[in-house]
Amino acid sequence: MRTFSFFLVVFFLASVQSFSQTSRVPASYSNIKYDSQNQLYYLKDGERLYSYPQEDEYTIEQLLGNPSGTKRGIYFDFKGFKGTIVYGLIPYGKAPHPLPVYRYTKPLYDGKVAVNISNRFKYPFDFVDWENKKKLSLGYRLINEKGEIIFDGVVSVTGNGPFNVVPTIYEGPFVSNITDTSALIWFNTSASVKATVEVDGKLYSDERKRRRHELLISGLKAGTKYDYTVTYGEMTQSYHFTTAPKKGSRKPFIFAYTSDSREGKGGGERDIYGTNAYISKKMAAVAYSHDASFVQFTGDMVNGYVTNAEELRLQLTNWKKAIEPFWHYIPFYVGSGNHEALGPRFYDKNGKYAAAIDGFPFDRNSSEAVMKASFVNPENGPVSEDNSKYDPRSKKTDFPSYSENVYYYTYGNVAMVVLNSDYWYAPSAKNDHGTSGGLHGYIMDNQLEWLKKTIEKLEDDNNIDHIFVTQHTPAFPNGGHSRDDMWYSGDNSKRPYIAGKPVDKGIIERRDEYLDILINKSTKVVAILTGDEHNYNRLKITKEVTIYPENYDKPKIEISRPIYQINNGACGAPYYSQEVLPWSDHTKAFSVENAICLFHVDGKKIKLEVINPDTLNKIDEIELR
Ligand SMILES: [Fe+2]
């Protein structure tokens, strides 16, 4: 009897587990299933192509090193990390863009190391005055056995021997979502702490102890510089930000645009575990030193294409760390690219990669969820592709959220509309639609509808003179992506599949609908800002430009007025050179130098200046309006 009921319980639990697992595959996918062992597979032509969950190579928690204070310094345990630590003091309060001054290197033993502060950093090496102040922040870099840099970390301590580890900001503080009356200051701490931000004598405080801090500073005056001080337990950091100009004032300002900073080649800081920190940092320095009010960065911050959320989080943290010294002062708005891909990858029985989809559950394991959790962007975009005409189940969630990956913001007389052309992205969708999923370069229905309404709203806003629309993929690829983006070598059959069925509009038809909104339904859209192709170039789209493949049998749109496509995917990923395309004669200033675009906005006029952030060479300069 006992044995019988035991088996009943086991059977019941197994069936509950298998049911709950199986039910978790979103209805928007097709041919994706769990087997009786709860292994996920893609059923293709009768063959099961399995996905193999991978262990995290590293986790942020591991790289924070579980530090503890000792009599003479800090003891770290990086949980089996093989390699070396490099460390030095960080001059918070002494330098406007505090960066660790690395001074010593030590091997790790089984991931563990004791770092000496008392002797190593005493007079005359104490440039942060820790011996008097009895507090300091140590920056450290972890390098693996192959010599690859994996992580730049921080740990704050009090005392001058013995030392106590205290809550540390390991990323931030960042300033985001600046308007004419508000700003959002956010940061992550190594331990739970109730943090505060002081602005203009007013204190903004977390409601309770936490590790992720987001404090909205409001009630500010337009066009005003504000000092701010972040206090987190024993430690403080002070920077400043400037609110956006008064609406309608049409004061001149500069903003910057770039994208594609995934890892470069050549080692060192060109590849800090997934990101080209070297060029990213220089890009941010150039933007800041040229008085850019904000930077728009649209996709491929990191290598991505990972199966685990933690891997993507770590890579994005490394990107944020590269830019952090400048993000204390000016906002960086990010969009999604194909490289932020996260989700299961399916392999055939020979171990050959066959297909990949966006991860689920969508609220935790999708690219969209990790992007939302990793950044702060405005929350005024569409909800998701649920409730579109293709939604397989109304009232149920079958798609990832657009929150903070599709949005718009305004600054002075400019509006920036940020789209996600790698939404619900299935990397294999181009060649294999069996799984269903989003197609690289395709703006799906609800997002397009939101774009249309947003442009209408901005057209009616008398304070806005210029609109920029940015998404990762060019409408007109020029070098590296002629076989995808919004062109696919002119093959309109390419489109997303939802729940096993193709959507009505192909990629070229959808590109046309998108262009029709920006060109024919708008007088204010100046340019589309794109990336994906690792080069800088500009294309003026006029009615003279050929934009269709030969023998195109679908309706063609009229180009009633010119707009620009400014492509800049040159923030550090390996370059692509120019290809021959129908619009190539109109493609100007093509360059494979690393590049940052600086838009000088002065009332009705806009001048574009393009600079190589590595050499400071001026690549291009042109009046857009
Ligand atoms: Fe890309």
Side-chain angles (χ1 to χ4, degrees):
M1 183 64 198
R2 216 174 158 157
T3 321
F4 177 69
S5 56
F6 172 74
F7 275 119
L8 256 185
V9 167
V10 167
F11 177 74
F12 175 70
L13 285 177
S15 59
V16 163
Q17 196 187 10
S18 118
F19 175 75
S20 67
Q21 291 271 37
T22 309
S23 69
R24 286 211 313 263
V25 177
S28 47
Y29 286 130
S30 45
N31 305 311
I32 305 290
K33 298 171 197 296
Y34 286 100
D35 72 7
S36 56
Q37 313 289 307
N38 291 320
Q39 296 292 310
L40 192 68
Y41 66 90
Y42 162 34
L43 187 67
K44 185 182 179 179
D45 306 329
E47 192 194 338
R48 289 180 177 195
L49 309 175
Y50 275 93
S51 125
Y52 303 100
Q54 282 164 359
E55 297 242 316
D56 296 320
E57 198 164 353
Y58 304 106
T59 67
I60 294 172
E61 225 41 47
Q62 171 198 12
L63 303 176
L64 293 180
N66 192 27
S68 51
T70 65
K71 202 174 155 195
R72 294 178 193 284
I74 305 166
Y75 182 75
F76 290 97
D77 181 358
F78 297 104
K79 298 262 186 287
F81 187 99
K82 293 190 176 73
T84 46
I85 187 169
V86 187
Y87 57 98
L89 302 174
I90 305 180
Y92 288 137
K94 301 257 174 195
H97 308 287
L99 284 162
V101 183
Y102 292 134
R103 199 158 205 300
Y104 301 105
T105 303
K106 248 186 133 171
L108 304 177
Y109 290 99
D110 191 26
K112 300 178 179 73
V113 68
V115 162
N116 182 301
I117 294 169
S118 305
N119 298 330
R120 294 279 190 160
F121 295 106
K122 68 182 182 190
Y123 178 85
F125 297 106
D126 177 10
F127 68 100
V128 299
D129 201 21
W130 65 266
E131 286 180 283
N132 276 324
K133 290 184 175 161
K134 297 191 171 63
K135 58 177 79 169
L136 66 94
S137 292
L138 189 89
Y140 61 89
R141 167 166 286 183
L142 294 170
I143 301 175
N144 72 9
E145 287 180 311
K146 288 189 241 164
E148 296 161 338
I149 306 169
I150 303 302
F151 187 67
D152 280 330
V154 189
V155 57
S156 299
V157 294
T158 56
N160 53 7
F163 296 91
N164 296 304
V165 170
V166 292
T168 301
I169 293 182
Y170 71 89
E171 53 179 332
F174 303 114
V175 56
S176 289
N177 295 358
I178 284 192
T179 72
D180 53 344
T181 58
S182 66
L184 202 142
I185 291 169
W186 58 287
F187 44 96
N188 286 350
T189 47
S190 60
S192 262
V193 64
K194 204 168 159 176
T196 61
V197 179
E198 198 203 319
V199 180
D200 205 17
K202 232 176 126 181
L203 208 59
Y204 299 81
S205 175
D206 288 328
E207 278 170 17
R208 54 186 167 79
K209 284 184 167 189
R210 52 196 314 152
R211 293 187 61 179
R212 167 60 170 246
H213 311 264
E214 289 188 18
L215 292 151
L216 179 67
I217 315 301
S218 55
L220 304 175
K221 286 202 270 302
T224 308
K225 180 175 157 188
Y226 286 94
D227 293 323
Y228 71 92
T229 297
V230 177
T231 302
Y232 46 110
E234 302 285 330
M235 309 301 289
T236 64
Q237 289 182 53
S238 295
Y239 307 102
H240 56 80
F241 64 83
T242 302
T243 47
K246 192 163 175 268
K247 285 195 167 82
S249 67
R250 292 184 162 79
K251 286 223 172 83
F253 70 95
I254 295 165
F255 77 88
Y257 172 71
T258 190
S259 72
D260 295 76
S261 57
R262 65 180 169 89
E263 73 175 39
K265 299 296 170 191
E269 300 197 8
R270 289 181 193 275
D271 177 13
I272 299 193
Y273 200 63
T275 195
N276 191 329
Y278 172 72
I279 296 297
S280 295
K281 184 179 286 163
K282 289 196 149 196
M283 170 278 292
V286 167
Y288 185 77
S289 64
H290 281 73
D291 286 329
S293 297
F294 63 88
V295 178
Q296 175 62 44
F297 195 108
T298 312
D300 287 9
M301 282 70 78
V302 298
N303 267 35
Y305 281 105
V306 291
T307 53
N308 287 12
E310 180 62 14
E311 282 281 308
L312 186 56
R313 271 194 287 270
L314 172 57
Q315 293 189 11
L316 292 171
T317 288
N318 284 342
W319 185 78
K320 286 181 272 183
K321 287 300 285 182
I323 287 163
E324 182 189 272
F326 307 94
W327 205 335
H328 298 319
Y329 300 94
I330 57 168
F332 287 73
Y333 296 91
V334 304
S336 289
N338 54 306
H339 270 271
E340 277 72 50
L342 160 67
R345 295 170 70 79
F346 302 96
Y347 296 86
D348 71 13
K349 53 182 179 296
N350 301 316
K352 197 171 161 240
Y353 163 76
I357 56 173
D358 194 16
F360 59 86
F362 291 134
D363 61 356
R364 265 186 291 144
N365 289 336
S366 65
S367 169
E368 290 81 358
V370 172
M371 288 294 284
K372 179 177 168 63
S374 298
F375 295 103
V376 166
N377 289 312
E379 295 183 74
N380 53 16
V383 177
S384 74
E385 286 300 319
D386 281 296
N387 300 317
S388 72
K389 67 188 259 202
Y390 306 105
D391 186 0
R393 305 179 306 166
S394 60
K395 299 195 180 113
K396 292 253 170 71
T397 303
D398 301 302
F399 294 92
S401 170
Y402 278 124
S403 181
E404 296 185 62
N405 59 80
V406 175
Y407 56 92
Y408 80 95
Y409 56 94
T410 64
Y411 191 97
N413 58 345
V414 163
M416 179 73 67
V417 181
V418 181
L419 301 178
N420 185 355
S421 59
D422 285 295
Y423 172 76
W424 186 46
Y425 171 51
S428 46
K430 178 184 172 184
N431 300 315
D432 179 354
H433 49 70
T435 60
S436 299
L439 180 75
H440 180 56
Y442 196 97
I443 308 286
M444 294 180 74
D445 283 26
N446 288 356
Q447 187 180 172
L448 192 80
E449 189 55 31
W450 176 85
L451 170 67
K452 196 170 150 226
K453 288 203 176 115
T454 302
I455 296 292
E456 275 168 19
K457 186 161 63 185
L458 295 168
E459 287 290 320
D460 288 343
D461 185 339
N462 292 330
N463 294 323
I464 299 298
D465 296 325
H466 314 289
I467 304 171
F468 291 84
V469 175
T470 183
Q471 79 277 338
H472 185 59
T473 53
F476 304 99
N478 279 293
H481 282 275
S482 66
R483 281 167 291 182
D484 51 69
D485 287 343
M486 296 179 168
W487 179 241
Y488 285 88
S489 307
D491 179 1
N492 186 55
S493 72
K494 301 294 181 191
R495 64 195 67 199
Y497 277 60
I498 301 173
K501 295 192 199 89
V503 300
D504 293 346
K505 297 288 168 72
I507 186 74
I508 311 273
E509 290 169 281
R510 182 46 48 104
R511 178 205 68 178
D512 279 4
E513 289 173 296
Y514 154 90
L515 289 175
D516 188 51
I517 295 168
L518 307 192
I519 297 171
N520 302 323
K521 305 279 193 304
S522 165
T523 57
K524 295 180 181 176
V525 175
V526 187
I528 58 179
L529 308 180
T530 63
D532 205 20
E533 301 194 306
H534 308 155
N535 46 57
Y536 162 75
N537 66 77
R538 69 181 145 80
L539 169 65
K540 191 172 186 178
I541 304 147
T542 62
K543 59 179 189 306
E544 280 78 37
V545 180
T546 306
I547 63 167
Y548 293 100
E550 281 179 39
N551 307 320
Y552 187 68
D553 61 358
K554 295 278 186 296
K556 297 180 178 179
I557 59 158
E558 182 203 353
I559 307 289
S560 62
R561 65 181 189 97
I563 65 165
Y564 285 93
Q565 175 181 279
I566 311 287
N567 189 77
N568 182 10
C571 196
Y575 75 86
Y576 295 123
S577 56
Q578 193 165 6
E579 296 178 76
V580 177
L581 285 142
W583 43 84
S584 292
D585 286 349
H586 302 267
T587 302
K588 307 292 180 200
F590 191 101
S591 166
V592 299
E593 289 190 57
N594 293 128
I596 177 159
C597 295
L598 297 164
F599 293 87
H600 300 248
V601 181
D602 186 357
K604 298 277 179 194
K605 283 202 274 197
I606 299 176
K607 188 186 80 179
L608 168 62
E609 182 189 18
V610 185
I611 292 173
N612 180 331
D614 198 8
T615 62
L616 306 182
N617 176 44
K618 192 180 280 188
I619 298 167
D620 194 18
E621 189 166 17
I622 186 174
E623 294 272 348
L624 296 179
R625 268 195 171 171

